[in-house]
Amino acid sequence: MTIFTYICTRMLYLFVWLCVIAVLGTSSSIRINNKKDPVIFYGDGPDSNIIYYEQCARRVTCKRNAIYRTVDGTCNNLRNPLWGSSETPYIRLAEAAYDDGNYEVRKQVDGSKLPRPRQLQLETFLPKSKDYLDSNNYHLMQFGQWANHDISLMPPDTTGPERCCSVRIVEINSNSPYQCQLAIEIPTNDPVLKRYNQTCMEFKRAMTAANNFGCPVTPQTPMNQATSFFDASQLYGHKLETANSIRSFDGGKLKTDIINGHEFCPQKKRQGSLLCDDRENVNICFEAGDPRLNQHFGLTAYTTMFTRFHNIVTDKLQEINPEWSDEVLYQEARKFIGALNQIIVYRDYLPILLGKSFTKRVGLDVSKNRRTQYNPAIMPQLTTEFAGGAFRVPHNTLPSTYDYINKNYEVVDSVKFYQWMSKPDPLVLGNNFDQIVRGMTTSPGRLFTPSFNFFISNLMFHTHLTGNEDLLSVDIQRGRDVGVPPYTVVRKLCGFPEVNSFEDLLSIIPYYDVKSLKKQYATVYDIDLLVGALLEPPVGGGTVGQTAQCILADVFYRIRFGDRFFFDVRGQPGSYSLAQLRTLRNIDLGHVLCATTELDEVPMDIFKTSRRTPMMKCKNKLSKLDLSAWRE
Ligand code: HEM
Ligand SMILES: [Ca+2]
């Protein structure tokens, strides 16, 4: 199929879908219109989480007039100081879907086992894994992951055996420690993985309040290790101890290491790091606020750029206010970077993810004339439906290769993405860093399609001691692990017309996909949230389908309107002045790229390829990076 026929087919579906909407006289967000905001579930989370807050949570005392956020997110909500802080339970929009109501993976309506995740991948998704070029560049995907690491960290429970797959899969499923119970079975006739004689894919169940934090929350609930707020905690740390370990305590700066004449994040001692120990022959391994930074080039590059940018901001602030202490410089720069990230998320990223008109309609856009109204009744907590399902849909935009592009815009090398996971070594050599960032800026990203790329679908972690993994199988299994309710339940919750048969799905999902699902699931009520959400056509002007749009909007709404320190909230201790807001609103991701790399120019619309938007000279952009509004 050519790209042209592919796009035509997708457009046709979109058209049919729009007609269905028109005929039904509804919109993709009935509830949202009625309620004026997309929050589906107000309140304190499910009753079960009350056990956590009442019996298990740490006690904190808040300074009511503090002008900076705490590192771990506590004391943002003064009535409920733990809301949004790191190491608190994800909330649920719908009841947990477990077979025993507590922790056992759900079964199908007829009592049979759910289809195996890898089988779903092989039958429904892998045949469509061809890459198509997007009009957005790599930064759309990369900023998405960067932003996700600010708000969500659902780590696997590593307290059990080091490798779940060290014994045969049949034994794992019948009799193994709970951490390993969901190791993923690979069919013996797997067209790709049979070459590697692999019958088992590593998978460890997520950490939960009951298993890992001594708190008997039932049904079991995963714990978010990140602060839910966009506060750049992926850069600074989700906890004070981490934050302090990467501060230089000199001039407000973050620690850095100079390698081959360039500034990078400090190097981590190998032992005990999350992502560099799983590969052999790795010499470079960095440290920052979030343990995932070494996962792959793009993410390491972002952490490096924001670290450099923090240090540039401290320099500028010190120039203006020479008397400021290390502490004030650090906190002001941290606040600045947090605010900038919020602006990029809500002004530049969300309109592309969820659709511009939608973000505006539900009040998620950023406008000079309308400041964010903080509402302490909104719980700024992530949902399992979001982290264990809907926000994984953008995994369909991961590219297969990374191009190294030089100053003359020539491709000097192209590397397969999966080969360089957890091995930042090449990033520090020669001009590689700048060439990779230039490549991400000018190369078209992967068009959102209902499939993940071939490599990430088969060979993720290929070079690691853990062996090949399939990101989609892991994502589907994770949803089941954390009790994410099925697709039809979530659709209903969003207020969409009910789906009661596979035939009902035909107005939403292409015929051949419905056919494939019908073959594999016992009933339509058994379909996994991610499976259904991925197969939906994207909403108008957005890059995810309507169910993902609904779940994502809910969380993005919570963590904005429930954030007392959101950058444009007024009337709080430390709220920005109008002049400071004006400066911040004139900055975008392009400024960060220009200030921290040797790029000479960046796209005016930073998420678009240069074919779609004019290029802007970095020299001009940087001249506007004037922080005089911070003069005291
Ligand atoms: C190169 C890019 C990326 C890679 C290699 C990658 C890989 C992964 C892996 C291995 C996991 C853990 C899966 C599990 O054990 O449950 C994960 C989790 C997740 N990813 Fe990605 N991902 C990438 C980009 C993205 C993007 C662009 C988004 C969204 C915009 C995203 C959203 C998520 C979410 C929501 C989770 C689960 C929650 C959490 O722990 O944060 N990822 N990803
Ligand atoms: Ca955060």
Side-chain angles (χ1 to χ4, degrees):
M1 191 177 0
T2 63
I3 177 81
F4 179 71
T5 46
Y6 178 80
I7 290 172
C8 287
T9 324
R10 301 302 303 172
M11 300 261 293
L12 188 65
Y13 276 116
L14 193 65
F15 178 70
V16 171
W17 176 235
L18 288 173
C19 292
V20 171
I21 291 171
V23 169
L24 293 177
T26 175
S27 91
S28 64
S29 53
I30 322 166
R31 249 185 122 100
I32 292 165
N33 268 343
N34 289 348
K35 290 180 69 180
K36 283 199 82 182
D37 70 48
V39 176
I40 298 160
F41 186 93
Y42 258 17
D44 308 358
D47 289 348
S48 56
N49 282 0
I50 294 172
I51 298 182
Y52 177 82
Y53 291 101
E54 287 187 350
Q55 294 177 20
C56 314
R58 58 202 187 278
R59 303 270 162 248
V60 289
T61 326
C62 300
K63 291 189 195 125
R64 303 187 77 82
N65 289 325
I67 56 173
Y68 303 115
R69 298 171 182 278
T70 57
V71 169
D72 63 4
T74 49
C75 299
N76 188 301
N77 187 307
L78 292 169
R79 269 183 257 158
N80 298 283
L82 286 168
W83 279 10
S85 68
S86 58
E87 231 170 67
T88 51
Y90 286 89
I91 60 173
R92 296 180 187 278
L93 295 177
E95 263 183 55
Y98 285 123
D99 192 43
D100 61 349
N102 181 37
Y103 195 47
E104 291 295 316
V105 163
R106 72 186 168 95
K107 297 237 169 58
Q108 304 206 76
V109 171
D110 68 1
S112 61
K113 277 186 167 180
L114 283 160
R116 290 172 300 179
R118 179 67 181 166
Q119 201 63 44
L120 282 163
Q121 162 73 291
L122 294 176
E123 294 246 354
T124 310
F125 297 97
L126 199 60
K128 297 192 291 247
S129 64
K130 194 168 170 2
D131 299 343
Y132 295 96
L133 302 184
D134 195 5
S135 61
N136 296 302
N137 58 25
Y138 280 35
H139 288 297
L140 184 72
M141 180 284 295
Q142 197 47 68
F143 185 79
Q145 187 188 32
W146 171 249
N148 176 52
H149 289 187
D150 191 337
I151 58 176
S152 185
L153 176 54
M154 191 191 264
D157 184 341
T158 50
T159 56
E162 198 172 338
R163 303 264 175 268
C164 288
C165 289
S166 51
V167 290
R168 283 178 41 229
I169 184 85
V170 267
E171 290 160 30
I172 294 174
N173 289 343
S174 56
N175 179 22
S176 63
Y178 72 87
Q179 295 92 337
C180 289
Q181 272 161 4
L182 300 185
I184 298 168
E185 187 178 346
I186 301 172
T188 43
N189 62 351
D190 191 299
V192 186
L193 296 179
K194 72 172 176 214
R195 264 181 263 155
Y196 303 94
N197 286 333
Q198 210 180 318
T199 55
C200 171
M201 195 186 298
E202 278 298 326
F203 183 92
K204 289 190 173 132
R205 296 199 69 166
M207 287 176 128
T208 66
N211 288 338
N212 305 89
F213 298 88
C215 187
V217 177
T218 50
Q220 293 244 24
T221 308
M223 295 284 274
N224 190 355
Q225 304 285 311
T227 66
S228 307
F229 307 107
F230 282 115
D231 52 2
S233 56
Q234 77 281 49
L235 181 66
Y236 297 105
H238 311 292
K239 288 190 162 183
L240 189 61
E241 199 190 343
T242 319
N244 286 344
S245 74
I246 53 172
R247 275 180 70 169
S248 73
F249 290 100
D250 181 16
K253 292 208 157 72
L254 291 172
K255 274 186 195 162
T256 51
D257 274 355
I258 303 295
I259 309 175
N260 300 333
H262 295 287
E263 190 181 25
F264 287 95
C265 294
Q267 294 230 55
K268 189 177 173 73
K269 296 176 270 333
R270 280 291 304 283
Q271 204 57 26
S273 79
L274 205 73
L275 280 165
C276 299
D277 281 346
D278 257 352
R279 271 195 80 160
E280 283 162 342
N281 303 322
V282 177
N283 295 315
I284 302 282
C285 193
F286 296 117
E287 194 165 20
D290 187 274
R292 294 165 286 192
L293 84 154
N294 295 300
Q295 190 197 54
H296 69 100
F297 284 171
L299 186 58
T300 315
Y302 263 55
T303 319
T304 312
M305 290 191 296
F306 276 98
T307 300
R308 291 178 183 176
F309 199 60
H310 170 96
N311 288 348
I312 292 171
V313 171
T314 53
D315 276 342
K316 284 185 177 285
L317 292 173
Q318 190 165 37
E319 223 175 276
I320 297 170
N321 296 299
E323 72 291 356
W324 276 9
S325 65
D326 162 71
E327 180 67 14
V328 174
L329 288 166
Y330 168 80
Q331 295 295 358
E332 282 296 332
R334 171 171 164 256
K335 181 174 163 189
F336 183 98
I337 303 282
L340 176 60
N341 271 284
Q342 292 187 327
I343 293 176
I344 303 171
V345 168
Y346 287 89
R347 182 194 58 197
D348 306 332
Y349 176 70
L350 282 194
I352 306 180
L353 189 73
L354 306 179
K356 204 169 172 173
S357 56
F358 174 87
T359 41
K360 205 164 173 178
R361 183 153 49 88
V362 299
L364 282 172
D365 61 326
V366 173
S367 149
K368 275 184 210 126
N369 310 321
R370 195 175 28 82
R371 304 270 289 263
T372 303
Q373 290 263 337
Y374 170 58
N375 179 352
I378 295 178
M379 195 180 199
Q381 209 75 10
L382 264 66
T383 64
T384 47
E385 289 82 356
F386 176 98
F391 204 34
R392 294 174 187 239
V393 168
H395 278 157
N396 65 354
T397 56
L398 308 197
S400 299
T401 53
Y402 275 70
D403 291 339
Y404 291 66
I405 294 185
N406 68 14
K407 271 179 181 285
N408 305 321
Y409 292 102
E410 295 150 350
V411 179
V412 287
D413 199 0
S414 185
V415 293
K416 289 199 179 70
F417 167 72
Y418 71 95
Q419 288 179 325
W420 295 104
M421 290 183 82
S422 316
K423 190 171 166 98
D425 294 37
L427 205 60
V428 303
L429 301 176
N431 296 324
N432 285 357
F433 186 89
D434 295 306
Q435 292 187 348
I436 283 168
V437 178
R438 195 176 289 109
M440 291 169 69
T441 311
T442 50
S443 312
R446 183 179 197 264
L447 186 72
F448 41 91
T449 66
S451 67
F452 294 3
N453 80 52
F454 179 87
F455 296 125
I456 211 77
S457 297
N458 295 293
L459 305 177
M460 180 171 77
F461 302 135
H462 171 73
T463 48
H464 296 52
L465 304 174
T466 43
N468 297 308
E469 289 184 31
D470 159 14
L471 185 56
L472 181 56
S473 295
V474 171
D475 284 341
I476 295 172
Q477 192 76 319
R478 186 65 67 206
R480 296 173 182 180
D481 168 29
V482 300
V484 167
Y487 173 64
T488 49
V489 173
V490 176
R491 279 189 62 84
K492 197 169 160 192
L493 193 111
C494 288
F496 300 138
E498 277 193 41
V499 171
N500 290 310
S501 65
F502 283 104
E503 286 63 42
D504 287 350
L505 274 187
L506 289 170
S507 59
I508 309 163
I509 290 173
Y511 168 75
Y512 44 83
D513 289 328
V514 175
K515 208 169 126 198
S516 168
L517 296 183
K518 193 171 174 181
K519 198 173 133 203
Q520 297 178 80
Y521 286 101
T523 73
V524 76
Y525 306 117
D526 299 313
I527 298 171
D528 295 277
L529 170 61
L530 180 63
V531 169
L534 253 179
L535 294 172
E536 288 179 356
V539 291
T543 54
V544 295
Q546 58 168 184
T547 305
Q549 181 193 49
C550 157
I551 298 301
L552 301 188
D554 169 74
V555 162
F556 284 109
Y557 193 95
R558 286 170 188 285
I559 60 177
R560 171 168 173 184
F561 294 94
D563 177 3
R564 189 162 62 89
F565 291 109
F566 198 80
F567 82 96
D568 64 348
V569 164
R570 72 172 111 217
Q572 294 294 334
S575 285
Y576 275 131
S577 70
L578 285 177
Q580 289 171 328
L581 284 178
R582 214 173 301 123
T583 307
L584 275 161
R585 288 201 183 103
N586 278 326
I587 306 178
D588 63 20
L589 185 61
H591 291 88
V592 181
L593 264 60
C594 283
T596 59
T597 68
E598 279 165 21
L599 266 57
D600 295 327
E601 48 182 13
V602 290
M604 185 152 102
D605 191 346
I606 194 64
F607 292 130
K608 298 278 176 237
T609 58
S610 45
R611 287 200 183 163
R612 298 289 178 129
T613 181
M615 295 298 272
M616 297 259 301
K617 288 278 168 225
C618 279
K619 219 169 36 190
N620 297 341
K621 271 188 100 85
L622 291 180
S623 65
K624 299 200 181 99
L625 205 61
D626 168 11
L627 303 192
S628 49
W630 273 257
R631 192 183 307 279
E632 252 185 9

